[in-house]
Amino acid sequence: MKKILVVGCAGQIGTELTLTLRKIYGADNVIASDIHLPEKCGNGPSEILDVTDRARLETVVNRYGIDAIVNLAAILSATGEKNPMLAWNVNMNGLINVLECAREHKMKQVLTPSSIAAFGPGTPLNNTPQETVLHPSTMYGITKVAGELLGDYYVNKYGLDVRGLRYPGIISNEALPGGGTTDYAVAIYYDAIKFGKYSCFVKEDTRLPMMYMPDCLKATIDLMQADFSQLKHHSDFNVGAMSFSAGDLAASIKKYIPGFEIEYKPDFRQLIADSWPNSVDDTAAREEWGWKPDYDLDAMTRDMLSVLGEKHKNGLI
Ligand code: NAD
Ligand code: AKB
């Protein structure tokens, strides 16, 4: 790949993935784009780009000679339930624009993430298999299933190299999450550092698959760099790292901040969380491209509290 366009670079994952891609491929070879100007994607070219605007996408692709697209533009689960048509428009019309543009320009690769939100009622909750029932109950999840199918369609019909992973909830300390159900697992660390307490919007026993950002970046880059000919799956890899309940998360924080207090006040996001698995079986990712996570819950908690503690001391959060 010579020129990579990151669409949705200003979000939770894009902020850090753009920097990582720039370190690997060179700052000038990674073009950062979003509907608003990215603040933290480092030096390198950037463009305002609404992914639903096909003509503008075409202009940016031609301007830089783009030959690969990482499509991170999306409306996540909680915001998507408040505005389902917006979620459909960005997640589906945005994705088809990216795929069509990549097909017409004979691009080398498209990476477009899926999510554990592709699962829903009827999916086995524990160690959820790679191939299983996909009946999501959110508009976000519906767009993720359709996105996986579309990606595989472009692989099979046009021979386009499309890849995607079903990320679990991602926990990080750079950009805040963008309106998902798993956001509590990030907010809890910020509030623990800032206030010593947190009001959690899911119940104590709510268990979900989660992943720390360094593992998310590693998984994404490893999949992007995997040998296409070795892949049996393409757009829908399960990737696991850890699985914990909100109560486990609070207990992990209490090990390092003994006075930390938590209350549970479930809201509309509880139903969404209840429809997602507890943990996933990622054997296909391990076998086809060597996936292996580095962080467990306590290792992540130590790192999150140390990074956020430092930021708080310096008045950055
Ligand atoms: P985010 O909400 O933090 O960022 C999404 C970005 O897309 C934002 O910067 C937003 O401005 C941008 N965007 C919205 N509409 C756009 C449009 N019309 N054109 C261009 N950009 C637009 O999301 P994220 O957490 O960084 O997620 C990135 C991808 O990973 C998404 O596909 C998401 O579904 C997937 N994912 C994320 C998680 C997670 O926990 N963060 C988990 C599973 C899957
Ligand atoms: C969300 O909660 O919507 C996202 C996701 C798991 O896809 N974090």
Side-chain angles (χ1 to χ4, degrees):
M1 287 175 292
K2 288 200 289 279
K3 294 275 178 193
I4 303 172
L5 174 65
V6 181
V7 180
C9 71
Q12 185 192 6
I13 296 173
T15 299
E16 298 196 49
L17 184 60
T18 304
L19 278 172
T20 304
L21 289 169
R22 284 184 163 160
K23 278 188 197 135
I24 297 171
Y25 296 100
D28 286 343
N29 296 323
V30 178
I31 290 77
S33 77
D34 205 301
I35 45 173
H36 49 89
L37 268 181
E39 284 166 19
K40 293 184 180 168
C41 298
N43 296 326
S46 61
E47 293 281 343
I48 299 276
L49 170 64
D50 180 337
V51 72
T52 64
D53 182 343
R54 176 65 204 279
R56 173 84 183 128
L57 176 61
E58 200 66 28
T59 303
V60 172
V61 162
N62 285 326
R63 179 169 301 156
Y64 295 94
I66 298 295
D67 62 2
I69 299 181
V70 174
N71 176 39
L72 303 173
I75 304 300
L76 273 62
S77 58
T79 308
E81 284 316 283
K82 290 185 185 152
N83 195 342
M85 285 313 296
L86 177 67
W88 179 268
N89 188 31
V90 174
N91 301 5
M92 294 316 308
N93 293 331
L95 176 59
I96 200 90
N97 280 347
V98 165
L99 291 170
E100 272 298 280
C101 184
R103 178 183 71 79
E104 285 181 6
H105 287 264
K106 299 190 173 35
M107 286 192 197
K108 295 201 172 80
Q109 190 178 98
V110 171
L111 182 117
T112 187
S114 185
S115 161
I116 52 162
F119 303 119
T123 302
L125 287 179
N126 294 315
N127 212 23
T128 300
Q130 177 70 44
E131 314 297 343
T132 188
V133 176
L134 297 174
H135 287 160
S137 49
T138 61
M139 180 58 95
Y140 174 64
I142 290 167
T143 66
K144 287 300 169 188
V145 174
E148 291 179 1
L149 294 171
L150 260 184
D152 284 354
Y153 179 83
Y154 274 72
V155 172
N156 296 324
K157 188 163 175 79
Y158 302 116
L160 186 68
D161 178 341
V162 186
R163 304 169 184 211
L165 334 76
R166 292 173 177 152
Y167 290 135
I170 304 298
I171 294 158
S172 66
N173 48 50
E174 270 299 323
L176 289 170
T181 301
T182 59
D183 293 13
Y184 67 89
V186 179
I188 193 172
Y189 286 109
Y190 280 78
D191 282 13
I193 288 289
K194 291 201 288 192
F195 313 117
K197 59 182 181 181
Y198 180 60
S199 178
C200 184
F201 60 75
V202 297
K203 289 188 286 188
E204 184 173 5
D205 62 356
T206 304
R207 176 176 291 278
L208 288 172
M210 300 280 182
M211 181 182 281
Y212 194 30
M213 183 60 90
D215 276 333
C216 170
L217 298 174
K218 182 170 89 152
T220 309
I221 300 293
D222 285 357
L223 178 59
M224 284 176 77
Q225 295 183 338
D227 180 350
F228 188 69
S229 69
Q230 297 303 306
L231 301 182
K232 297 186 192 89
H233 299 83
H234 295 100
S235 308
D236 60 0
F237 282 102
N238 281 1
V239 275
M242 51 185 118
S243 160
F244 52 77
S245 68
D248 295 337
L249 179 54
S252 173
I253 292 174
K254 272 187 197 167
K255 285 185 199 165
Y256 305 95
I257 306 179
F260 176 65
E261 288 169 20
I262 183 155
E263 61 171 2
Y264 298 93
K265 288 194 168 173
D267 67 13
F268 73 101
R269 291 167 282 194
Q270 183 68 50
L271 264 184
I272 303 177
D274 288 345
S275 75
W276 293 350
N278 300 330
S279 60
V280 298
D281 176 358
D282 58 8
T283 307
R286 288 173 188 259
E287 286 179 358
E288 291 176 43
W289 47 277
W291 166 240
K292 192 171 173 290
D294 290 328
Y295 284 83
D296 62 16
L297 174 55
D298 281 341
M300 174 176 74
T301 295
R302 276 194 301 276
D303 204 52
M304 282 293 285
L305 293 178
S306 149
V307 173
L308 292 178
E310 203 55 35
K311 285 190 178 189
H312 190 50
K313 247 192 261 164
N314 294 323
L316 297 172
I317 60 166

